[in-house]
Amino acid sequence: MPIALLALAISAFAIGTTEFVIMGLLPEVAADFGVSIPAAGLLISGYALGVVVGGPLLTALGGRLPRKTILVSLMGLFIAGNMFSALAETYGLLMTGRVVAALAHGAFFGVGSVVAADLVAPERRASALAMMFTGLTMANVLGVPLGTALGQQLGWRSTFWAVTALGVLGLVGVIALVPRTKAAPGGGLRQELAVFRIPQVWLALAMTALGFGGVFASFTYIAPMMTQVAGFAPGTVTWLLVLFGVGLFVGNLLGGRAADRALMPSLYLFLAVLAAVLFTFTFTAHSQLGSVLTIALFGIAGFATVAPLQMRVLTKAAGAPALASAANVAAFNLGNAGGAWLGGLAIDHGLGYTAPNWIGGTLTVAGLAVALFSGWLDRGRRATISTEGATPEAALAR
């Protein structure tokens, strides 16, 4: 794999760390600014909103620029947002810094996915995407636990300074290692937006939002599920999350390799396995051993879908792959927010802490249904093209 992918992975590590580490620092942030825990939790929602809005918008506006220039600019924006967060003297300023950093998130993964795919031969594009997203998985395995521990020991601001340093490292890597390319042919906001006239692009976004919505419907509530249902001590949850993160790492690489061989069959398989794991988790959550095994499988199945989902939207958005890819990152975040909301709604209505699992399984099944429909449309189109291009005798034979 090209060494430039390492620079993209380091940047992804920094971005993934700043997105999720705030979850472990909510008590410290709330105490510092004198706000409630739910109010501090809005820093997570604000970040997600920044990703959803900023990713497609900044990608579209930068359509005429060379992609390396866009990546460098986005990492600069990310660094500025985290520095602003580290220096924030009020809750409102911290929220502003979070949103500024989030604006770079979706656009970086959108443009970075196209750059990563272009660095390798066509038959290795999904593996290249998985390599870049390895940084995101390692953020969950290492970045978030270490960042949380640092913030708890030295204050939450130290975590944002550490993420800022990681951002600088990623920026230097992008400048030094990512090859300079010309701007994408065509360009212009109108041409970029035209990609959303393609029905298959919308289907790809829908399967992402639904499939990953299933992941976060369950994962968001894994801590109370493990302590209140499985009976684990609170201190054990960190190690369970590390186990989940290791599963993410394995699943990410597995998904990339499988998608390079057969994209849609891999997507069908991983979504089906993910749904099965989530439904099973409803029952195994009552057992500590069952929970451990299921969490590992959950991590593998959950992130095995990422590279295939990102690759699917790239293949269907040839006219503006960067914008569609950024929109797909936004779809991931919409799925995260929607899945977490539905899971919380079930708990609030007294359905228990295991209810998010079967809700997540149902969302994933819906994503699988969209994927199957999308694949059926592909097969129908290929059959039509084949018939139209065949001889009259062959056409009649069909």
Side-chain angles (χ1 to χ4, degrees):
M1 286 289 180
I3 193 171
L5 290 174
L6 177 61
L8 297 177
I10 292 173
S11 299
F13 179 83
I15 293 171
T17 299
T18 204
E19 178 181 16
F20 296 115
V21 75
I22 193 68
M23 296 179 184
L25 299 175
L26 291 183
E28 287 76 14
V29 171
D32 195 9
F33 290 123
V35 300
S36 66
I37 292 290
L42 291 177
L43 294 166
I44 300 170
S45 302
Y47 189 96
L49 182 61
V51 174
V52 171
V53 174
L57 179 62
L58 293 184
T59 304
L61 294 177
R64 295 183 181 274
L65 298 174
R67 286 178 179 140
K68 180 173 180 176
T69 302
I70 299 174
L71 292 177
V72 170
S73 301
L74 291 171
M75 286 308 297
L77 185 64
F78 173 79
I79 292 167
N82 281 284
M83 287 183 63
F84 198 88
S85 296
L87 295 169
E89 293 297 328
T90 67
Y91 172 82
L93 291 177
L94 177 56
M95 177 68 81
T96 301
R98 290 281 292 167
V99 172
V100 169
L103 292 175
H105 179 129
F108 183 89
F109 279 108
V111 177
S113 293
V114 178
V115 171
D118 287 345
L119 288 171
V120 297
E123 66 273 11
R124 302 187 68 189
R125 296 177 75 195
S127 293
L129 292 181
M131 185 62 68
M132 183 184 74
F133 278 97
T134 295
L136 190 58
T137 64
M138 292 307 296
N140 285 278
V141 178
L142 295 176
V144 172
L146 292 177
T148 300
L150 178 66
Q152 290 172 343
Q153 294 297 318
L154 301 180
W156 62 266
R157 296 178 191 276
S158 65
T159 300
F160 283 97
W161 284 119
V163 172
T164 299
L166 287 172
V168 171
L169 182 61
L171 173 63
V172 172
V174 170
I175 293 172
L177 301 177
V178 174
R180 184 172 297 277
T181 59
K182 296 180 180 179
L189 184 58
R190 181 175 297 180
Q191 180 173 327
E192 290 284 315
L193 293 175
V195 74
F196 294 112
R197 297 176 185 171
I198 304 172
Q200 284 282 26
V201 169
W202 285 105
L203 290 175
L205 297 177
M207 66 179 77
T208 294
L210 290 168
F212 228 67
V215 172
F216 269 78
S218 173
F219 178 66
T220 302
Y221 305 100
I222 198 167
M225 194 188 312
M226 291 299 94
T227 56
Q228 301 298 318
V229 180
F232 283 104
T236 310
V237 173
T238 299
W239 297 107
L240 293 174
L241 294 178
V242 170
L243 175 64
F244 181 80
V246 172
L248 297 183
F249 179 80
V250 173
N252 182 52
L253 297 180
L254 178 64
R257 292 179 181 177
D260 276 332
R261 294 186 177 92
L263 176 57
M264 290 307 289
S266 298
L267 201 47
Y268 303 150
L269 173 63
F270 292 136
L271 286 172
V273 171
L274 175 59
V277 169
L278 285 168
F279 283 126
T280 301
F281 203 9
T282 304
F283 305 100
T284 58
H286 295 274
S287 161
Q288 291 190 350
L289 177 59
S291 294
V292 169
L293 295 175
T294 309
I295 286 172
L297 291 174
F298 183 17
I300 293 172
F303 243 70
T305 64
V306 171
L309 287 169
Q310 195 75 353
M311 194 65 215
R312 177 64 176 176
V313 78
L314 284 177
T315 59
K316 293 301 175 184
L323 178 57
S325 182
N328 204 44
V329 175
F332 276 114
N333 280 268
L334 283 174
N336 296 355
W341 176 73
L342 287 173
L345 198 63
I347 293 173
D348 287 341
H349 281 74
L351 298 180
Y353 285 113
T354 61
N357 293 323
W358 59 259
I359 289 174
T362 303
L363 287 172
T364 303
V365 168
L368 174 59
V370 173
L372 290 169
F373 177 66
S374 180
W376 176 77
L377 290 179
D378 274 351
R379 290 190 295 273
R381 183 173 181 273
R382 284 194 297 267
T384 300
I385 292 173
S386 178
T387 300
E388 290 176 348
T391 63
E393 294 79 9
L396 288 173
R398 292 179 184 274

